[in-house]
Amino acid sequence: MVQRLKTAYEQKVAPKLIETFKYKNVHEVPKIKKITINRGLGDNAQNTKIFETSSKELTIITGQKTLITRAKKAIAGFKLRQGMPVGLLVTLRNEYMYAFLDRLINLALPRIRDFRGISSKSFDRRGNYNLGLKEQLIFPEIDYDKIEQIRGMDIAITTTAKTDEEALILLKLF
């Protein structure tokens, strides 16, 4: 099934970007490569029950199984040993990516309390956008009664744009 945002990109966004930036080749047009969702669990990483529930939440939100990130080296001050689980990661591409982005833009972000838009300053200088969410309850898939603790997540939208200006216009057109 072709996602709604993918067809919108092909029919509306790409032609408008070609017109705005005067690209000579179709392959120069910036597009979204992947979306990475990261959740660091910190002190809760040693508790396997919290780890499993957090993993299930991210799986429900993204529709894809999570990857467990592990500590690269031991840090005694944090009581952390090499190889211990410290967080969760999901990388979305193609259909899953467009489906998640559609739900994020149209369902989740408007449900944020006191929402006044997202910052246009969260671009790194390579055209990628980073967004931090404080709670998982903004996603309609998550049941409020089954939540043990409110946890946030970091969302990184990776684009092929060369500048922040190109990436900003690409994301605004969605």
Side-chain angles (χ1 to χ4, degrees), residues 29-35 97 101 123-124 126-129 156-164 166-168 170-171 174:
V29 180
K31 58 180 84 98
I32 299 174
K33 274 198 325 196
K34 65 182 177 180
I35 296 177
M97 173 186 69
L101 189 63
F123 285 96
D124 60 1
R126 295 182 184 96
N128 304 317
Y129 188 76
I157 301 172
T158 308
T159 66
T160 58
K162 294 178 182 76
T163 64
D164 290 349
E166 289 176 355
L168 178 65
L170 168 69
L171 292 177
F174 277 114

Side-chain angles (χ1 to χ4, degrees), residues 108-147:
L109 289 178
R111 291 180 65 172
I112 294 176
R113 267 182 259 132
D114 301 331
F115 183 66
R116 293 189 203 118
I118 54 177
S119 173
S120 61
K121 296 178 182 178
S122 295
F123 285 96
D124 60 1
R125 293 190 176 130
R126 295 182 184 96
N128 304 317
Y129 188 76
N130 297 301
L131 173 68
L133 299 178
K134 293 181 180 168
E135 58 184 33
Q136 72 271 36
L137 295 172
I138 62 170
F139 289 97
E141 298 92 2
I142 300 296
D143 187 19
Y144 183 79
D145 298 329
K146 294 181 181 177
I147 298 298

